[in-house]
Amino acid sequence: MITGRFAPSPSGKMHLGNLFSFLLAWCAVRSAGGEMVLRMEDLDPQRTSPEYAAMIRRDLLRFGLDWDREVPCQSTRTAAYDAAFARLEAMGLLYPCYCSRSQVHAASAPHLGQSEFVYSGTCRDLSPEQRSAKKRPPAWRLRVPDEEWSVHDGLQGDYCELLSRDCGDFVLRRADGVYAYQLAVVVDDADNGVTQVVRGRDLLASTPRQMYLFSLLGRPAPEYYHVPLLLAPDGRRLSKRDGDLDLEALLTRFSPEEIIGALAHAAGLIEKNEAISASELAAEFDWNKVKKEDICLTL
Ligand code: GLU
């Protein structure tokens, strides 16, 4: 049986882009008679809140996107992340990093437009004396090998990275003790029994390093489908700033079924842009129809 997941970050309200990925994730699971798990990715206490989590649950249900179980949110899972961290540390793969930029964004998934940089390795080979001379608490990075890691994505095909060149040693725990998205998502997908991950195409670039972590931790990796991003009719990425994505505003003009119909039509799942419920759409769902390239949306 397929187990899929919704893994929203309750760092803001759900927007049209999130809805699009969640709709495809839900249809893929329901059309195969699988189960859906909801996991709140609230790693960063400063950026997430239970109020946003409650709004996201409400919005999913408004669109008929239900789940079979909600698993513990990430803020309660520190013991599981500690255990994975200790295992990697015992393998000699972690090192403390004192560079100030190591903090940036590590607790949230790196979406497009957020610059990710390949770490130059400044702190990789510090001596014990050099480490003890540092005054600030360190972040912890995973040493990546000079190896290619690839993923066969169900929609995008094969995607491969030479970890040392394309990704670099990445942060697993920030200096403030908050675990990084990359570690937490792997531990959680494994512990939650997730077998199918459907998420935005901008996270494809995080997948080789997640595959590497699954293998280090001796856990099976799920299958992946990275779905297109939504673009405005003029080709811009839809952005929160423009209000293009605001579900609240859209729901004053359209019904949930009209919005689902527009998304399903844009994805290539239905021929006409007409109202349809999530469960009717699940009956039509077929990965072969889903477009791979980013999608211009007209509502
Ligand atoms: N919580 C992440 C986000 O909302 C999703 C990560 C994932 O699907 O792996 O960006």
Side-chain angles (χ1 to χ4, degrees), residues 5 7-9 41 109 111 181 185 199 203:
R5 42 81 150 179
S9 295
E41 301 214 318
H111 291 278
Y181 156 74
V185 78
R199 60 188 179 190
L203 288 172

Side-chain angles (χ1 to χ4, degrees), residues 91-112:
M91 294 162 87
L93 292 172
L94 303 185
Y95 64 86
C97 171
Y98 302 86
C99 300
S100 54
R101 289 186 69 187
S102 298
Q103 288 280 69
V104 184
H105 294 316
S108 47
H111 291 278
L112 284 187

Side-chain angles (χ1 to χ4, degrees), residues 194-251:
V194 169
T195 63
Q196 184 182 78
V197 169
V198 177
R199 60 188 179 190
R201 192 183 60 76
D202 50 354
L203 288 172
L204 184 59
S206 287
T207 313
R209 75 192 94 159
Q210 291 175 14
M211 301 295 281
Y212 178 53
L213 278 172
F214 277 112
S215 114
L216 290 175
L217 296 171
R219 310 294 297 267
E223 52 174 1
Y224 290 94
Y225 291 85
H226 285 88
V227 302
L229 304 177
L230 297 182
L231 304 174
D234 61 4
R236 280 174 306 122
R237 272 196 84 206
L238 290 181
S239 75
K240 276 189 196 164
R241 196 190 49 221
D242 300 325
D244 290 320
L245 295 167
D246 190 76
L247 282 181
E248 214 65 58
L250 288 171
L251 282 166

Side-chain angles (χ1 to χ4, degrees), residues 2-289:
I2 293 180
T3 299
R5 42 81 150 179
F6 296 128
S9 295
S11 55
K13 288 194 281 184
M14 194 163 113
H15 59 65
L16 200 57
N18 306 135
L19 177 63
F20 181 66
S21 320
F22 293 155
L23 178 66
L24 294 177
W26 186 89
C27 286
V29 162
R30 292 299 185 221
S31 65
E35 65 158 359
M36 198 68 189
V37 161
L38 171 64
R39 176 175 76 232
M40 286 295 164
E41 301 214 318
D42 59 347
L43 277 178
D44 193 337
Q46 271 146 28
R47 288 169 169 242
T48 57
S49 77
E51 288 73 29
Y52 282 129
M55 283 185 212
I56 292 170
R57 284 187 203 97
R58 184 201 60 196
D59 284 341
L60 284 166
L61 294 174
R62 260 188 186 173
F63 287 89
L65 306 180
D66 62 352
W67 51 93
D68 303 293
R69 55 190 170 104
E70 178 163 357
V71 294
C73 56
Q74 292 187 325
S75 58
T76 65
R77 296 262 303 146
T78 311
Y81 310 144
D82 283 343
F85 186 88
R87 181 171 171 154
L88 298 168
E89 194 173 29
M91 294 162 87
L93 292 172
L94 303 185
Y95 64 86
C97 171
Y98 302 86
C99 300
S100 54
R101 289 186 69 187
S102 298
Q103 288 280 69
V104 184
H105 294 316
S108 47
H111 291 278
L112 284 187
Q114 283 175 5
S115 57
E116 273 215 284
F117 63 100
V118 176
Y119 183 59
S120 62
T122 313
C123 293
R124 196 174 219 244
D125 298 309
L126 295 183
S127 65
E129 296 72 40
Q130 285 172 309
R131 283 181 185 154
S132 54
K134 299 282 181 187
K135 295 284 174 277
R136 60 165 80 209
W140 288 81
R141 284 185 189 270
L142 177 73
R143 230 173 254 278
V144 300
D146 207 13
E147 285 169 13
E148 287 190 336
W149 278 77
S150 63
V151 53
H152 179 75
D153 187 87
L155 198 57
Q156 307 293 341
D158 289 326
Y159 176 76
C160 178
E161 280 190 0
L162 179 61
L163 291 181
S164 52
R165 182 195 62 204
D166 302 325
C167 162
D169 298 345
F170 54 97
V171 174
L172 292 191
R173 199 171 76 193
R174 301 193 322 196
D176 60 3
V178 171
Y179 279 102
Y181 156 74
Q182 304 291 358
L183 180 71
V185 78
V186 163
V187 172
D188 284 344
D189 280 337
D191 287 356
N192 301 158
V194 169
T195 63
Q196 184 182 78
V197 169
V198 177
R199 60 188 179 190
R201 192 183 60 76
D202 50 354
L203 288 172
L204 184 59
S206 287
T207 313
R209 75 192 94 159
Q210 291 175 14
M211 301 295 281
Y212 178 53
L213 278 172
F214 277 112
S215 114
L216 290 175
L217 296 171
R219 310 294 297 267
E223 52 174 1
Y224 290 94
Y225 291 85
H226 285 88
V227 302
L229 304 177
L230 297 182
L231 304 174
D234 61 4
R236 280 174 306 122
R237 272 196 84 206
L238 290 181
S239 75
K240 276 189 196 164
R241 196 190 49 221
D242 300 325
D244 290 320
L245 295 167
D246 190 76
L247 282 181
E248 214 65 58
L250 288 171
L251 282 166
T252 63
R253 293 160 52 212
F254 304 100
S255 68
E257 290 74 23
E258 285 170 324
I259 296 174
I260 291 175
L263 293 173
H265 174 66
L269 283 170
I270 53 175
E271 266 161 41
K272 285 206 214 109
N273 181 351
E274 57 193 12
I276 187 168
S277 69
S279 48
E280 286 162 340
L281 183 63
E284 311 259 327
F285 186 80
D286 178 357
W287 277 119
N288 292 317
K289 292 191 211 159

